[in-house]
Amino acid sequence: MEILTIIIIAISLSMDAFSLSLAYGTLNIVKKDILLLSIIVGIYHFFMPQIGNIIGKIIINILPIRTNIIVFIVLFIIGLQMILETFKEEKNFKNLKIKEMLIFGLAVSLDSLSVGIGLKSIYHNVIISSSIFMVMSFIFTYIGLSLGKKINEIVGKISTLLGGVILMLIGLLYII
C-alpha cells in the first residue's frame, strides 16, 4: 500500500510539470530540447525530495510534532497551491535556453522538496520514492511537451486541479 501511495503522490506532483509542459509544448520545441527538459525535470524530482527529507529530519528534531501531521500540512498546502494555480492567467512563453530549462525544472519540483519533508513517514526508502518521482515527472513532462498545443486548453488546468485535489485527499488520509 505504501508504494501505491508513493506512485499516486508522484503522479500528483507530476501534474504541474505536465500542465506547464503542455504550454511550453506550444512553442514547437525540437525533440532534443523536449528530451533535455524532461531529463532536467526528472533529475530535480529525484534530488528535491531527498533535500526535503533532510530538512524534515531537522524540523522533527527541533519541533516534537507527529510526522503524520507534517505530511498532512505539507500535502494539503501543496494541493491547495496547485488548485489556486489553475485559476491564474496563462503566460506567453518564448524559446527555451538551458537557463530557462533549469528554472522551469526547479519551479515544477519545489513541491517535491516539500513532500520530502514528511516522505520518510509515508515510505521508508527515500531513494526508491525519489526514483519513482523522477520517472513519473520525466514521463509527464515528456508527454506534456510532446502533446503541446493540441490539448493544452482542455487538460492543462484540469490536470493541475486534479493533482491538487489528490494531494489534499492523501494529506487528509494521514490525519484520519
Side-chain angles (χ1 to χ4, degrees):
M1 182 63 183
E2 294 167 341
I3 200 77
L4 180 61
T5 302
I6 291 298
I7 291 170
I8 292 169
I9 290 171
I11 291 169
S12 297
L13 291 174
S14 299
M15 291 296 188
D16 61 337
F18 177 72
S19 61
L20 285 175
S21 295
L22 284 170
Y24 271 79
T26 63
L27 298 173
N28 295 320
I29 299 171
V30 295
K31 196 110 174 133
K32 179 186 77 159
D33 287 349
I34 288 174
L35 183 61
L36 180 59
L37 183 55
S38 300
I39 290 170
I40 289 170
V41 170
I43 290 170
Y44 271 114
H45 274 86
F46 179 78
F47 287 107
M48 293 300 249
Q50 294 181 45
I51 295 168
N53 184 50
I54 293 167
I55 294 169
K57 287 178 187 175
I58 294 168
I59 290 172
I60 290 170
N61 286 335
I62 294 171
L63 301 171
I65 188 169
R66 292 187 355 227
T67 54
N68 64 326
I69 294 173
I70 292 173
V71 171
F72 162 72
I73 292 169
V74 168
L75 292 178
F76 197 85
I77 289 171
I78 293 169
L80 184 60
Q81 177 187 6
M82 287 175 71
I83 290 169
L84 294 174
E85 287 291 319
T86 63
F87 300 106
K88 287 188 177 178
E89 246 183 78
E90 293 288 323
K91 296 180 178 105
N92 292 326
F93 299 101
K94 55 187 171 76
N95 289 331
L96 299 177
K97 297 179 175 102
I98 189 70
K99 178 181 169 185
E100 292 168 317
M101 290 183 190
L102 292 171
I103 292 169
F104 176 92
L106 178 64
V108 298
S109 66
L110 287 175
D111 49 1
S112 290
L113 175 83
S114 303
V115 168
I117 292 172
L119 190 57
K120 195 88 166 171
S121 65
I122 299 170
Y123 187 65
H124 65 281
N125 193 323
V126 177
I127 299 293
I128 290 175
S129 299
S130 295
S131 297
I132 292 169
F133 291 173
M134 175 181 67
V135 169
M136 288 296 179
S137 64
F138 169 83
I139 291 169
F140 275 74
T141 302
Y142 189 86
I143 291 170
L145 289 169
S146 297
L147 293 176
K149 192 173 188 168
K150 293 177 186 171
I151 59 173
N152 183 40
E153 290 135 16
I154 300 168
V155 180
K157 292 194 177 276
I158 293 171
S159 65
T160 303
L161 179 68
L162 181 62
V165 169
I166 290 170
L167 284 179
M168 291 174 77
L169 290 173
I170 291 172
L172 285 171
L173 289 175
Y174 272 87
I175 61 167
I176 296 177

